[in-house]
Amino acid sequence: QLSMSPERLNAVDMVPYFDTTSVLLIAKGKPVPDLANLCGMNFVVTQGSVQVRQLNQLSEACVAKGGKAITQQLYSSSAETLLALANGRGDAFLTASPQGVYISRVNPKVELVKGDVPNVERSPAGIALEKGNTALRKAIALALASAIEDGSYKAILEEFGVANAAVPLPLVMKSSEP
């Protein structure tokens, strides 16, 4: 999943296909944190991910309210980040909801904290393509629009427990415009 960050949109065009919330994963057996108060926690994070920026924003809000800053342990890959979490090297891992749902299903050493993390900017995910390739951007948007209209898009999202992250058809069609 590639978040449609301003930095990425400067380099490539993107068609949005998913608008995800953020969730927390913790090591199995760790105390479940209060999603509304993550101040003072130590997160494992993948370098270059949108979660670095999101955690910085949450941390700034903590400090502004007189709370402790959120700390981050950076890892160079998602695999290393998840291994660190499973081994208890951090309190939690902030991730997009589909990854959190999937990882919690396949990794017995971690668990998903129920609920979405509040006050985290939503970062739509997009299909990246060459900047300025209008024909391809339009074709991808039309294919996704077709799946939305026939219900197959919603069915897939429901199967994986992330239906609340569907993008609306007008947003998809807007992305096809030059």
Side-chain angles (χ1 to χ4, degrees):
Q1 174 177 321
L2 290 176
S3 297
M4 294 178 64
S5 68
E7 299 82 9
R8 287 187 179 129
L9 289 172
N10 283 333
V12 296
D13 287 337
M14 298 181 95
V15 175
Y17 70 93
F18 201 77
D19 187 16
T20 186
T21 58
S22 294
V23 296
L24 287 188
L25 289 172
I26 59 173
K28 184 83 76 186
K30 283 252 188 167
V32 176
D34 175 4
L35 292 176
N37 182 12
L38 304 176
C39 301
M41 290 183 63
N42 181 16
F43 280 80
V44 294
V45 188
T46 305
Q47 291 174 331
S49 68
V50 70
Q51 287 77 27
V52 171
R53 184 175 71 243
Q54 291 171 334
L55 287 167
N56 285 338
Q57 291 168 346
L58 288 171
S59 184
E60 289 168 7
C62 287
V63 172
K65 292 186 296 188
K68 289 185 176 181
I70 293 171
T71 58
Q72 299 180 40
Q73 295 178 38
L74 297 174
Y75 295 88
S76 60
S77 71
S78 294
E80 290 174 323
T81 306
L82 290 170
L83 181 61
L85 177 69
N87 289 332
R89 288 192 230 145
D91 298 320
F93 174 59
L94 179 71
T95 190
S97 61
Q99 285 85 343
V101 169
Y102 175 76
I103 293 165
S104 68
R105 289 179 180 175
V106 300
N107 187 334
K109 293 183 174 189
V110 301
E111 61 184 285
L112 181 67
V113 175
K114 191 173 188 157
D116 296 329
V117 177
N119 305 316
V120 175
E121 72 176 282
R122 289 179 77 129
S123 296
I127 300 166
L129 51 137
E130 177 186 18
K131 194 104 175 134
N133 190 336
T134 307
L136 182 57
R137 188 175 69 238
K138 187 172 185 171
I140 291 171
L142 289 173
L144 181 55
S146 176
I148 291 170
E149 289 171 341
D150 73 14
S152 58
Y153 173 74
K154 183 178 179 187
I156 291 168
L157 296 181
E158 286 174 349
E159 178 182 345
F160 289 95
V162 291
N164 67 336
V167 293
L169 181 59
L171 181 63
V172 173
M173 294 313 299
K174 183 177 178 171
S175 73
S176 70
E177 299 170 1

